[in-house]
Amino acid sequence: AQTVTQSQPEMSVQEAETVTLSCTYDTSESDYYLFWYKQPPSRQMILVIRQEAYKQQNATENRFSVNFQKAAKSFSLKISDSQLGDAAMYFCASIQGAQKLVFGQGTRLTINP
Amino acid sequence: EAGVAQSPRYKIIEKRQSVAFWCNPISGHATLYWYQQILGQGPKLLIQFQNNGVVDDSQLPKDRFSAERLKGVDSTLKIQPAKLEDSAVYLCASSLEGWSGGGEFFGPGTRLTVL
């Protein structure tokens, strides 16, 4: 069974600084997708970034980038130039084949002005 | 493009009562999901539909939960009777592809409080 683990329940960062959120996963498949979702207090889950396992290049979306270490089964999210609007719960998730999307426990990110 | 719509946004009921949630996915999305998110946890998939057929309902408590997706568009999730531990946010999501390789689009959720 696929599992996703986020070992940081809470993180905080100063505005304009860089923060990295950690995620590890376990899968028996060679073809899978990894995601980071953002969930603000309004609770609307928003896709931040996705990574295809077969791609070696790390995905990037503006200030958000990932460090995908396939051998180590690690998938961290780096947020550069943190903004107050980045404050939210962040969930790492994975899916393999036709199986369901599995989420980690989440990391609550606080941005300090 | 309109997003995933859910109603109601909030619901408070007493235990043993019944409740129903409604979801309207993004137009053209064949796959619809219902997730349960207990406070402080990540969402857990309850049921996945492909058009109007069930793909996965392995984690749906079938003795009290039911879901349907008539005509492959809107969906309803029902709880009957509700228990205290059903207090959670119920998220509906939809995706264009048959599985979530394209990423899922989530609705705002329905926050259920069971007293």
Side-chain angles (χ1 to χ4, degrees):
Chain A
Q2 50 179 331
T3 60
V4 177
T5 303
Q6 293 177 251
S7 58
Q8 305 156 316
E10 297 184 359
M11 291 282 287
S12 64
V13 63
Q14 291 296 126
E15 191 175 6
E17 297 291 311
T18 296
V19 64
T20 299
L21 308 184
S22 301
C23 172
T24 58
Y25 62 93
D26 191 19
T27 178
S28 57
E29 300 287 332
S30 59
D31 185 20
Y32 52 91
Y33 285 74
L34 298 166
F35 305 89
W36 277 99
Y37 281 90
K38 172 185 177 182
Q39 189 176 45
S42 66
R43 305 202 72 86
Q44 184 99 33
M45 193 81 76
I46 303 165
L47 178 64
V48 175
I49 199 166
R50 61 176 257 180
Q51 174 80 42
E52 293 93 335
Y54 63 86
K55 289 187 177 180
Q56 293 184 338
Q57 186 175 5
N58 289 326
T60 299
E61 289 288 341
N62 300 314
R63 297 183 294 108
F64 299 87
S65 62
V66 298
N67 183 6
F68 175 44
Q69 300 290 326
K70 192 171 184 177
K73 295 184 178 178
S74 170
F75 183 62
S76 60
L77 174 70
K78 186 172 79 171
I79 306 174
S80 303
D81 186 25
S82 298
Q83 300 175 2
L84 294 178
D86 294 333
M89 284 290 290
Y90 286 82
F91 290 96
C92 180
S94 77
I95 186 161
Q96 56 187 47
Q99 297 186 28
K100 54 184 173 286
L101 192 66
V102 175
F103 288 85
Q105 305 91 320
T107 297
R108 182 178 302 280
L109 178 64
T110 301
I111 311 296
N112 300 315
Chain B
E1 167 181 88
V4 177
Q6 289 188 249
S7 68
R9 291 295 308 277
Y10 304 91
K11 188 74 177 179
I12 300 174
I13 61 173
E14 295 189 350
K15 60 182 178 182
R16 290 189 290 274
Q17 286 187 322
S18 301
V19 65
F21 313 128
W22 173 82
C23 173
N24 181 240
I26 292 173
S27 178
H29 280 195
T31 310
L32 185 147
Y33 316 79
W34 283 102
Y35 287 86
Q36 180 192 59
Q37 186 178 21
I38 294 173
L39 185 65
Q41 299 181 18
K44 180 185 78 172
L45 180 69
L46 292 176
I47 189 167
Q48 176 181 340
F49 291 95
Q50 179 71 18
N51 295 309
N52 60 349
V54 174
V55 174
D56 184 347
D57 63 356
S58 57
Q59 297 191 89
L60 185 73
K62 298 180 185 63
D63 57 334
R64 299 184 299 107
F65 285 65
S66 65
E68 60 181 7
R69 191 184 184 196
L70 300 177
K71 300 180 181 179
V73 182
D74 293 7
S75 177
T76 57
L77 176 69
K78 297 178 181 178
I79 307 175
Q80 179 180 6
K83 293 185 175 181
L84 296 177
E85 58 261 36
D86 298 332
S87 293
V89 174
Y90 290 84
L91 298 169
C92 180
S94 69
S95 66
L96 182 61
E97 301 176 24
W99 55 287
S100 296
E104 298 171 333
F105 295 87
F106 285 82
T110 296
R111 181 185 295 274
L112 173 66
T113 302
V114 182
L115 303 176

